[in-house]
Amino acid sequence: MENNGKIRAIVTGVGMYVPDKILDNAFFEKIVDTNDEWIRTRTGIRERRMLENGATSDLATKAAEDLLKSKNMSADEIDVIIVATVTPNMFFPATACLVQDNIGAKNAWGFDLSAACSGFLFAFQTGCSLIESGKYKKVMVIGADKMTSITDYTDRNNCILFGDAGAAVLLEPTEDQNLGMQDSLLKIDGSGKEALNMKGGGSLNPPTHETVDNKLHYIFQDGKAVFKVAVKGMADISYEIMQKNKLTSEDISYLVPHQANLRIISATADRMGISQDKVMINIERYGNTTAATIPLCLVEYYRNGKIKKGDKLILSAFGAGYTWGAIYLVWAI
Ligand code: COA
């Protein structure tokens, strides 16, 4: 166990938002050279959501409001808001500031965190550390991405993969050492920067007509290269955190994997010796929503009564950077 202090961080509330508009596989058959069967068998995706009007702050705000409503809690109580995203409304101010203003969290500070598909895990660890410090009592961690805003709908390799969503958890302290955040293993390796990125708009390639003409404001991905490292990275780190915490596959109630590709998820579950019925999966309905995938799974499974207090969960992700990691969490509500 990594945290031997007195305070542990537990999840005490959840919230989510997905836009109404659905892009099914038939939609992509009309705009690029692809077909439903290819998409389903290669990725596991049947449909994803698209936010037509609005930005990532709207996805994050609606998820935060859903959480507050379900807890019957005032936004004044929130100490910190962390938004994990790679599609912030703009470079600054941070999306966390926009969410703070929208929900009226007048006592909060906060910030955005950029770690692509591992964003929720990195934000979750950060939020837990703030709770464990003893200084903060209520930290809202939100994963939200409007991936459709950076998706090139002429690129069949990538456009079928991504969707929009926001989901949130509330972290609070407990002295019960057997609940909440138990351990994490988190990694970055910037040598993966060429395989998955968005080159335009930043200080390296400030926006010009040329950067737009060259489509530098869209996701670039070498799918095959990312697939290989993602399978190994996610499977290895998930297995490693089990070993480190002396967990057998029977001990684990659920693997909560980032939803990028069903084949990556299955490979991770296989490596851990976990059967498919103990893997949280909703990729077929939402595709890859980047920072939102893991909290979206947690909210849906919790609200469907599938997770209970004391359940041992392994959260696991791999994404651009490269970034990757796993978290061992005991569910507390
Ligand atoms: N419809 C039909 N054919 C498609 C297609 C589509 N939407 N997209 C690609 N293809 C084609 C390719 O052009 C290729 O054709 P070719 O052999 O004639 O060149 C063929 O299908 C196989 O492509 P390949 O790249 O080998 O497929 P794949 O099995 O690796 O699956 C991805 C492609 C993108 C689904 C897969 O690589 C992947 O999921 N990568 C990781 C994505 C990811 O997780 N990213 C987020 C960060 S973790």
Side-chain angles (χ1 to χ4, degrees), residues 47-118:
E47 57 187 46
R48 38 334 253 143
R49 302 297 177 106
M50 178 186 230
L51 182 66
E52 288 184 282
N53 300 304
T56 296
S57 64
D58 298 299
L59 300 165
T61 297
K62 288 193 166 106
E65 285 170 346
D66 182 44
L67 188 158
L68 292 173
K69 192 167 164 230
S70 70
K71 292 243 347 147
N72 196 19
M73 177 184 148
S74 160
D76 297 356
E77 293 178 43
I78 301 167
D79 298 316
V80 188
I81 300 169
I82 307 174
V83 178
T85 187
V86 286
T87 52
N89 284 37
M90 46 195 128
F91 275 139
F92 59 88
T95 310
C97 300
L98 309 176
V99 174
Q100 177 277 333
D101 186 42
N102 287 344
I103 64 174
K106 61 177 190 290
N107 299 310
W109 66 284
F111 54 92
D112 288 2
L113 185 150
S114 170
C117 295
S118 309

Side-chain angles (χ1 to χ4, degrees), residues 238-255:
S238 306
Y239 185 67
E240 201 184 321
I241 203 161
M242 280 175 73
Q243 298 283 95
K244 188 170 168 226
N245 289 278
K246 300 186 172 47
L247 294 168
T248 66
S249 51
E250 284 78 48
D251 296 328
I252 296 166
S253 306
Y254 279 102
L255 166 66

Side-chain angles (χ1 to χ4, degrees), residues 183-327:
D183 198 9
S184 71
L185 289 171
L186 304 172
K187 311 257 185 194
I188 60 173
D189 178 1
S191 68
K193 62 187 179 296
E194 298 302 335
L196 180 51
N197 56 50
M198 193 184 93
K199 292 188 184 70
S203 54
L204 180 64
N205 299 299
T208 61
H209 291 292
E210 201 186 343
T211 61
V212 174
D213 289 345
N214 289 330
K215 299 190 170 190
L216 299 188
H217 303 84
Y218 290 132
I219 302 160
F220 167 80
Q221 175 170 232
D222 177 348
K224 211 173 265 185
V226 174
F227 186 85
K228 270 193 212 145
V229 282
V231 164
K232 185 163 166 32
M234 230 167 100
D236 283 356
I237 206 143
S238 306
Y239 185 67
E240 201 184 321
I241 203 161
M242 280 175 73
Q243 298 283 95
K244 188 170 168 226
N245 289 278
K246 300 186 172 47
L247 294 168
T248 66
S249 51
E250 284 78 48
D251 296 328
I252 296 166
S253 306
Y254 279 102
L255 166 66
V256 193
H258 169 55
Q259 314 276 307
N261 186 312
L262 195 54
R263 292 182 291 144
I264 300 175
I265 295 172
S266 299
T268 303
D270 285 352
R271 178 76 198 279
M272 297 168 77
I274 286 180
S275 55
Q276 291 289 329
D277 60 316
K278 294 208 306 187
V279 184
M280 290 194 192
I281 295 172
N282 60 16
I283 190 173
E284 71 284 359
R285 284 175 291 126
Y286 304 125
N288 184 349
T289 58
T290 302
T293 61
I294 289 176
L296 206 55
C297 277
L298 289 173
V299 183
E300 289 198 333
Y301 276 70
Y302 174 64
R303 288 187 174 166
N304 289 335
K306 291 183 182 160
I307 333 177
K308 57 181 192 316
K309 186 172 179 178
D311 276 354
K312 295 185 168 79
L313 311 177
I314 301 291
L315 284 48
S316 163
F318 191 96
Y322 294 122
T323 58
W324 71 108
I327 283 177

